């Protein structure tokens, strides 16, 4: 979970106030409703999630659904709804960029796909951080250490709970 959905957990902490100590419910019914379900796999003595679909609810009543599939390809999509209405549904990669990504993946089949897919964002993040460091400032739009800690706390809280439900 720390690798598979840590960015989503950081966003949940940042924008929806999700904290391990304020979670009141973890709904995994999406695992039952999805055609692919959810999966916890064990290889040798190591267990890890392959697919997850869960909704977090906190004390304020905020809800965040996180769907992650470690083996589902390189697509990344954000869907934001409020009161049942879809406010945003956007893929990270548009059609022209998808063509470039496919060409680079074909040229470098040994490279990890998401590094090709997310290269422009990683480059922009590095440039933003470097420029802020030169100015002696904190980079705008970058998670703070406090958010990183909250995301890790969420992962620590959720891992045994989700493992027990799926195991």
């Amino acid at each position: 979970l720390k690798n598979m959905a840590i960015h989503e957990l950081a966003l949940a902490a940042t924008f929806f106030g999700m904290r391990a100590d304020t979670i009141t419910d973890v709904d995994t019914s999406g695992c039952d409703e999805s055609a692919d379900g959810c999966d916890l796999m064990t290889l040798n003595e190591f267990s890890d999630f392959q697919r997850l679909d869960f909704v977090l609810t906190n004390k304020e009543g905020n809800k965040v659904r996180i769907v992650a599939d470690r083996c589902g390809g390189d697509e990344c999509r954000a869907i934001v709804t409020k009161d049942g209405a879809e406010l945003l549904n956007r893929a990270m990669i548009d059609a022209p960029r998808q063509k470039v990504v496919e060409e680079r993946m074909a040229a470098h089949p040994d490279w990890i796909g998401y590094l090709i897919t997310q290269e422009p964002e990683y480059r922009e993040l590095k440039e933003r951080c470097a420029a802020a460091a030169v100015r002696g400032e904190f980079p705008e739009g970058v998670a703070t250490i406090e958010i990183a800690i909250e995301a890790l706390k969420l992962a620590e809280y959720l891992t045994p709970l989700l493992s027990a439900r799926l195991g």
Side-chain angles (χ1 to χ4, degrees), residues 44-63:
N44 299 321
E45 73 264 16
F46 298 101
S47 293
D48 201 357
F49 302 106
Q50 179 180 344
R51 285 183 304 274
L52 286 171
D53 184 344
F54 59 92
V55 177
L56 301 176
T57 305
N58 66 10
K59 290 178 182 177
E60 292 79 33
N62 293 329
K63 293 184 179 207

Side-chain angles (χ1 to χ4, degrees), residues 7 12 18 31 36 43 46 76-77 85 87 89 101 110 114 118 140 155 160 163-164:
H7 296 108
M18 296 297 161
C31 292
D36 293 327
L43 303 171
F46 298 101
C76 181
R77 176 172 297 279
L87 304 176
N89 185 336
V101 167
D110 54 329
Y114 75 86
Q118 299 174 17
E140 181 182 344
S163 295

